[in-house]
Amino acid sequence: MKYCENCKISVRGTYSHCPLCNAVLTGEAEESAFPALESHHKRRKLWLSILALASVAGCVVCGTINFLLQGMPWSLFVFAGVACFWLTFSLAIYKGRNIPKTLVWEVFLVSALAVVWDLGTGWHAWSIEYVLPIVCMGVMVTLSIFARLYRVPSGSFIVYICLDALLGIVQLVLLFTGLVEVPLPSLLSIGLCVVTLAALFLFRGRNAKEELRRRLHL
Ligand SMILES: [Zn+2]
């Protein structure tokens, strides 16, 4: 059995370092007490690598065709599209465990990317007239359903709803500054934010107040 001089304990299994103090173990290794488990991460990593390779190959093919045919540099849009996909996708993987939190982060990222695209393609305001309201509404509805189904602790749920509602305020500002010329999606989205917030404070008022006070250090 392996032995840690530091902690004066024997360690069963094939560890090379002490699980308590991380010092190098002495003595002979012995069969582990636990069966070896096939990791899910391996398969996921393989799929991610395949997806990444496909993205790189796609970019190379598009770049080459574009270079050979000359004309408009359309392949730049392909590169930007792939980059946006990986940004949103890696955020989902990185934050993946906490689905409501991931959703809220994705709203901000997707909205920001949409605005950048809109600016890059000559600003037709579709990002703030359609993408922002639709994404904001979508997440508001998904969060509410999710909270009902999975009994998300009401504290954190309140914070996510409030964060999403921040985008409602942004839309209100955009509406009043006249940047938004098609007001219907924004109005619907703002309305939904107001109704959801009202419901939250009417039915979960005490929870909501406590949670916000705690998080905002009021
Ligand atoms: Zn030790």
Side-chain angles (χ1 to χ4, degrees), residues 3 54 82 94 116 125 142-143 149 158-159 163 177 197:
Y3 186 76
V82 170
Y94 178 64
V116 172
T142 316
L143 274 177
L149 287 181
I158 287 159
V159 172
L163 278 174
T177 50
L197 278 183

Side-chain angles (χ1 to χ4, degrees), residues 3-9 11 17-25:
Y3 186 76
C4 177
E5 304 285 350
N6 213 7
C7 308
K8 312 282 179 226
I9 54 160
V11 182
H17 290 78
C18 173
L20 297 180
C21 70
N22 212 28
V24 179
L25 296 174

Side-chain angles (χ1 to χ4, degrees), residues 144-183:
S144 308
I145 296 172
F146 196 86
R148 265 260 164 271
L149 287 181
Y150 293 94
R151 305 198 172 275
V152 177
S154 57
S156 51
F157 172 68
I158 287 159
V159 172
Y160 300 138
I161 287 281
C162 289
L163 278 174
D164 196 34
L166 272 184
L167 283 178
I169 298 173
V170 171
Q171 292 172 75
L172 199 64
V173 172
L174 289 173
L175 206 60
F176 274 105
T177 50
L179 281 168
V180 173
E181 283 171 5
V182 184

Side-chain angles (χ1 to χ4, degrees), residues 63-109:
T64 312
I65 293 174
N66 198 186
F67 183 79
L68 289 175
L69 296 179
Q70 303 289 330
M72 274 262 295
W74 54 267
S75 56
L76 291 181
F77 289 103
V78 177
F79 301 157
V82 170
C84 287
F85 165 75
W86 276 100
L87 259 175
T88 40
F89 189 63
S90 46
L91 177 69
I93 293 175
Y94 178 64
K95 296 260 177 205
R97 280 185 192 172
N98 187 339
I99 292 173
K101 199 182 200 174
T102 311
L103 277 175
V104 174
W105 276 100
E106 288 283 356
V107 185
F108 282 93
L109 182 65

